[in-house]
Amino acid sequence: MHVFYNRKGIGDCLIVPLKQGDRYQIDFNQYGHVTKIYDTESKEVLGYNIFREGSNMELEDGKHKLDEVMLAKINQILDRHGVPESLELDLSPKFVVGYVKTKEPHENADKLNVCQVDIGTETVQIVCGAPNVDAGQHVVVAKVGAIMPSGMEIKEANLRGVDSFGMICSQKELGLPNAPEEKGIYVLTGDLKAGETFDF
């Protein structure tokens, strides 16, 4: 997960995006320098905008990986400005190397396959429609909770009656430069281990 700071473009504001929301049902609460943005129906917190604190955190403009140290600093700021809850997040990597253990045809869809994928800590079931997916491959898996470069959040899904927990990604979906236009997942090569963080 990442946070964003752009002093030159928008001023001293640290943007902490947590979830996607419907722009027609968003509201916010102001707590000192902190704006909490939330969904008016579910009451889920979608993110925080933190003003006039980035310079104190000695942040440079750009995207910053949210780690335990930065999370602790953000929670100190939230507490100092009277935000009633702290930010509790799973900071484990959301894009990892997966190993496709098995591939079986989907019983209700000709172009879908049901894959059992080792992601290091567990084996998850992922429904995949890519024509080139196969058992024995190392692939890039976006775990549940991952935010794709497009802004789409990966959620648990049920595809034609089969549960799916994550997504096997193509180069295009990952926003990689010179990604091929033809459909197909990104098959990794080299000395790889299931569960390794995939940085891109």
Side-chain angles (χ1 to χ4, degrees), residues 99-125:
Y99 178 75
V100 183
K101 296 168 71 173
T102 63
K103 180 194 85 167
E104 300 292 339
H106 191 298
E107 58 186 15
N108 298 318
D110 292 340
K111 294 184 178 180
L112 296 178
N113 291 292
V114 181
C115 301
Q116 302 299 324
V117 186
D118 179 0
I119 57 170
T121 55
E122 61 180 325
T123 296
V124 295
Q125 180 169 282

Side-chain angles (χ1 to χ4, degrees), residues 160-176:
R160 304 288 292 271
V162 176
D163 291 333
S164 183
F165 303 93
M167 184 171 81
I168 301 175
C169 303
S170 70
Q171 293 185 51
K172 190 172 184 180
E173 288 163 336
L174 294 168
L176 299 181

Side-chain angles (χ1 to χ4, degrees), residues 36 89 94 96 121 130 139 148 167-168 171 175 179-180 182 187:
K36 180 176 79 172
L89 296 172
K94 296 296 183 286
V96 299
T121 55
V139 295
M148 301 299 293
M167 184 171 81
I168 301 175
Q171 293 185 51
E182 62 268 17
V187 180

Side-chain angles (χ1 to χ4, degrees), residues 22 24-28 38-44 46:
D22 183 337
Y24 298 109
Q25 56 188 53
I26 288 177
D27 205 348
F28 66 90
Y38 65 93
D39 185 291
T40 54
E41 288 192 8
S42 69
K43 305 303 180 186
E44 277 190 305
L46 304 176

Side-chain angles (χ1 to χ4, degrees), residues 16-186:
V16 184
L18 301 176
K19 291 181 177 290
Q20 281 190 307
D22 183 337
R23 62 179 177 168
Y24 298 109
Q25 56 188 53
I26 288 177
D27 205 348
F28 66 90
N29 293 125
Q30 193 71 37
Y31 302 91
H33 295 173
V34 179
T35 302
K36 180 176 79 172
I37 303 159
Y38 65 93
D39 185 291
T40 54
E41 288 192 8
S42 69
K43 305 303 180 186
E44 277 190 305
V45 178
L46 304 176
Y48 296 92
N49 290 344
I50 301 174
F51 298 92
R52 301 201 294 275
E53 297 283 355
S55 54
N56 297 333
M57 297 173 70
E58 300 180 347
L59 291 175
E60 296 183 0
D61 280 12
K63 180 170 72 170
H64 298 268
K65 188 173 183 179
L66 185 58
D67 57 17
E68 295 286 352
V69 173
M70 183 175 287
L71 180 60
K73 289 180 179 179
I74 289 172
N75 275 323
Q76 288 173 359
I77 293 169
L78 298 185
D79 182 62
R80 190 166 73 244
H81 289 284
V83 178
E85 66 279 324
S86 61
L87 188 53
E88 297 182 6
L89 296 172
D90 174 11
L91 295 180
S92 62
K94 296 296 183 286
F95 292 89
V96 299
V97 174
Y99 178 75
V100 183
K101 296 168 71 173
T102 63
K103 180 194 85 167
E104 300 292 339
H106 191 298
E107 58 186 15
N108 298 318
D110 292 340
K111 294 184 178 180
L112 296 178
N113 291 292
V114 181
C115 301
Q116 302 299 324
V117 186
D118 179 0
I119 57 170
T121 55
E122 61 180 325
T123 296
V124 295
Q125 180 169 282
I126 299 177
V127 177
C128 180
N132 64 327
V133 68
D134 209 350
Q137 295 171 334
H138 282 99
V139 295
V140 181
V141 173
K143 294 162 60 177
V144 171
I147 304 295
M148 301 299 293
S150 65
M152 178 181 71
E153 180 183 356
I154 301 302
K155 300 180 180 181
E156 294 181 11
N158 185 282
L159 301 173
R160 304 288 292 271
V162 176
D163 291 333
S164 183
F165 303 93
M167 184 171 81
I168 301 175
C169 303
S170 70
Q171 293 185 51
K172 190 172 184 180
E173 288 163 336
L174 294 168
L176 299 181
N178 304 314
E181 288 298 320
E182 62 268 17
K183 291 183 178 180
I185 57 162
Y186 185 17

